[in-house]
Amino acid sequence: MADKVKAMTKIAASELILNPDGSIYHLNLRPEHIADTIITVGDPDRVDTVTKHFDVIEFSTHKREFKTTTGSYKGKKITVISTGIGPDNIDIVFNELDALVNIDLNTRTVKKKHTKLDIIRIGTSGSIQSDIPIDSFLISKYGLGLDGMLQAYDCEHILEKNIEDAFIEHTHWNDRKARPYVVKNSTELENRLKSHETIMGLTATAIGFYGPQGRVLRLPIRNVDLNSKMDSFNYRGTSITNLEMETAAIYGMSKLLGHNALSMNAIIANRANGVFSENPKKTIEKLIEYTLQKLAL
C-alpha cells in the first residue's frame, strides 16, 4: 500500500528539477536519450575514447562535466556518460539516471514498473598492494566508502556491516569522520565481465585526492598512518586492493535504486612500490575494448 501511495504522489518541482525542454536538470537528458546499459567514466574527454569504437552514434549532449553519448557497439545499445570526479557527482548522476527510467517526468510520479539499469564504471585507480601489477585490470568485488555521501540515505539494509566494523576497529577510525560503508557489486555483472585477465579486489573510495588519500603537499593530515593501516587490513582473506573516488558511491546508489553496477579499474599506479604506468592511455584503452567486447556478448 505504501509503495502504491508513493507511486501516486506527485514530486514537487523543487525536488525534481527539469529544464524548459523537459530534460533532467544537470544531465540535460530525456528518457529516450539513454540505453539500459550505461558506461560511466570520470573525464568528459574519455566519453569519446569509448564511443569511437561504436558502429553508430544516435545522440550526444554535454552540460557542465556531464557529457553523454548513446550509440551501438556490435548491435548492443550503450550510453556513455561522464560523471566528473567524486562521490557528490555520483549522487547527482545516479539519481537523475534513475529518474529518467523510473519516474514519469510529465506527471512527476514514480512509475509502477521498475526499470533496472546495468551500469559499468571504467576508470583509473592506484593499487595499494605491492603484488598488484601496473597496467592490470581490477574488478571491485566491494566498494569501501570513506566519503560519507551514502549516509544521507536510509542504507543500512544494503551494507556489509561486518566488514565495516572490522575496518573501523583495525584503523582506529576517527569518530569525527563519517562512518565508512561497504557495498557489494552486482554478481550478475561480475560474472559477465570477469575472466583470467581480471583481478578481484576491495576498492576504497576517498572523498578527495590529496589529504583524503594520504598525500601531503603543504597541509598536515589528521591520520598520517591511515594508508599503512589500510594496506594491512584483511577481513577473512579480503584486503583493500586499490583507492579511487567513485566506486563505493556507485555501488551504494545503484543498490539503493535497484540497478546493477560494476567497477572496472585500470591500475595505472602502485603506491606501495611508488611506480606509475609508462603508458596509462594505452592501459585504459585496452580496458575499454575489453569491457565493450564483454558487454556485446
Side-chain angles (χ1 to χ4, degrees):
M1 182 66 180
D3 289 341
K4 185 177 180 180
V5 171
K6 182 179 179 181
M8 295 173 58
T9 302
K10 187 173 182 178
I11 302 170
S14 60
E15 311 306 293
L16 175 62
I17 305 170
L18 302 178
N19 297 311
D21 65 354
S23 62
I24 200 82
Y25 184 59
H26 295 93
L27 303 187
N28 203 36
L29 297 171
R30 294 195 300 269
E32 65 268 23
H33 293 153
I34 66 169
D36 288 346
T37 297
I38 296 176
I39 291 174
T40 69
V41 295
D43 184 354
D45 290 339
R46 194 170 290 155
V47 172
D48 291 343
T49 307
V50 178
T51 60
K52 72 180 183 182
H53 298 282
F54 284 11
D55 306 309
V56 178
I57 299 295
E58 300 178 7
F59 172 82
S60 189
T61 189
H62 193 171
K63 182 179 180 182
R64 303 186 188 184
E65 61 264 62
F66 309 118
K67 181 174 182 178
T68 306
T69 298
T70 296
S72 296
Y73 174 80
K74 295 185 178 180
K76 176 74 172 180
K77 188 173 181 179
I78 300 173
T79 293
V80 184
I81 185 168
S82 60
T83 63
I85 299 174
D88 52 341
N89 277 15
I90 297 303
D91 179 63
I92 292 170
V93 172
F94 279 62
N95 270 299
E96 294 196 359
L97 284 175
D98 178 76
L100 289 172
V101 296
N102 288 313
I103 296 174
D104 185 320
L105 301 186
N106 294 315
T107 64
R108 295 179 172 274
T109 57
V110 177
K111 295 179 179 179
K112 293 180 180 179
K113 183 180 179 182
H114 178 269
T115 295
K116 178 178 286 190
L117 301 171
D118 288 337
I119 305 171
I120 302 92
R121 170 191 178 266
I122 299 178
T124 57
S125 184
S127 167
I128 63 173
Q129 300 294 340
S130 60
D131 61 343
I132 297 179
I134 292 293
D135 302 320
S136 59
F137 302 160
L138 187 144
I139 291 176
S140 305
K141 179 73 130 182
Y142 297 97
L144 165 64
L146 309 178
D147 54 280
M149 184 277 289
L150 203 69
Q151 304 293 1
Y153 297 95
D154 179 8
C155 62
E156 293 293 324
H157 59 291
I158 66 162
L159 303 179
E160 305 289 334
K161 189 174 184 297
N162 290 340
I163 304 178
E164 295 172 358
D165 289 343
F167 177 79
I168 290 168
E169 180 180 359
H170 179 79
T171 57
H172 304 292
W173 192 254
N174 190 300
D175 60 10
R176 290 180 66 87
K177 297 180 181 180
R179 177 184 168 88
Y181 61 90
V182 177
V183 188
K184 191 180 180 298
N185 69 9
S186 161
T187 301
E188 178 184 335
L189 286 180
E190 177 189 315
N191 290 336
R192 284 176 60 187
L193 276 85
K194 71 179 180 180
S195 74
H196 68 279
E197 297 182 57
T198 58
I199 301 167
M200 302 302 298
L202 191 164
T203 299
T205 296
I207 198 170
F209 184 77
Y210 289 96
Q213 294 191 36
R215 291 183 173 93
V216 177
L217 301 183
R218 290 202 316 114
L219 296 177
I221 58 177
R222 184 183 295 275
N223 192 343
V224 295
D225 59 351
L226 177 59
N227 278 13
S228 63
K229 290 178 180 176
M230 290 174 62
D231 295 348
S232 60
F233 174 73
N234 187 291
Y235 178 77
R236 297 183 179 179
T238 299
S239 299
I240 299 172
T241 50
N242 60 311
L243 190 60
E244 48 72 87
M245 293 181 63
E246 288 90 31
T247 293
I250 287 172
Y251 283 6
M253 292 301 295
S254 294
K255 193 151 287 189
L256 287 175
L257 291 165
H259 305 298
N260 293 323
L262 193 74
S263 180
M264 305 290 292
N265 302 269
I267 302 298
I268 61 170
N270 187 302
R271 296 186 66 187
N273 299 328
V275 294
F276 192 82
S277 173
E278 294 182 1
N279 195 339
K281 288 185 178 180
K282 181 179 179 180
T283 301
I284 193 67
E285 177 68 30
K286 288 175 65 177
L287 180 59
I288 288 168
E289 292 175 358
Y290 173 92
T291 304
L292 286 173
Q293 289 169 11
K294 287 288 187 181
L295 291 175
L297 292 177

